[in-house]
């Protein structure tokens, strides 16, 4: 990993770090889409899917598994939400 992890640092500053095994709907997932810094995020919708958007595409709900599951760099919960 190279570069500054701005998205991860910001998540740690404003959100609550959660273990991937403990993620719950509503949590913020941060991904490494390509080699390098983590710079893509989504919201966990169910235990098996998340909502995200990419440039030039609509917001969509997709399966969290396979490639996406392998790219999760960190999981964050919103403070005060249980």
């Amino acid at each position: 990993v190279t570069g500054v992890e701005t998205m991860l640092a910001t998540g740690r500053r404003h959100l609550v770090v959660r273990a991937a095994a403990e993620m719950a709907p509503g949590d913020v997932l941060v991904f490494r889409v390509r080699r390098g810094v983590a710079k893509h995020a989504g919201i966990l919708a169910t235990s098996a899917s998340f909502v995200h958007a990419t440039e030039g595409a609509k917001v969509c709900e997709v399966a969290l598994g396979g490639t996406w599951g392998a790219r999760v760099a960190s999981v964050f919960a919103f403070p005060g939400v249980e």
Side-chain angles (χ1 to χ4, degrees):
V1 177
T2 60
V4 178
E5 294 283 4
T6 304
M7 188 173 269
L8 293 179
T10 301
R12 284 191 288 275
R13 188 168 47 251
H14 297 287
L15 302 170
V16 178
V17 176
R18 186 177 291 210
E22 297 174 4
M23 64 182 157
D27 285 352
V28 176
L29 308 178
V30 178
F31 300 90
R32 290 185 201 289
V33 178
R34 296 189 180 96
R35 294 178 74 120
V37 298
K39 56 183 180 178
H40 186 73
I43 304 291
L44 190 65
T46 71
S47 61
S49 67
F50 72 102
V51 176
H52 75 126
T54 55
E55 187 175 343
K58 295 180 180 181
V59 174
C60 60
E61 184 173 346
V62 297
L64 177 64
T67 303
W68 281 114
R71 293 177 176 173
V72 175
S74 193
V75 178
F76 298 100
F78 287 97
V81 177
E82 302 195 24

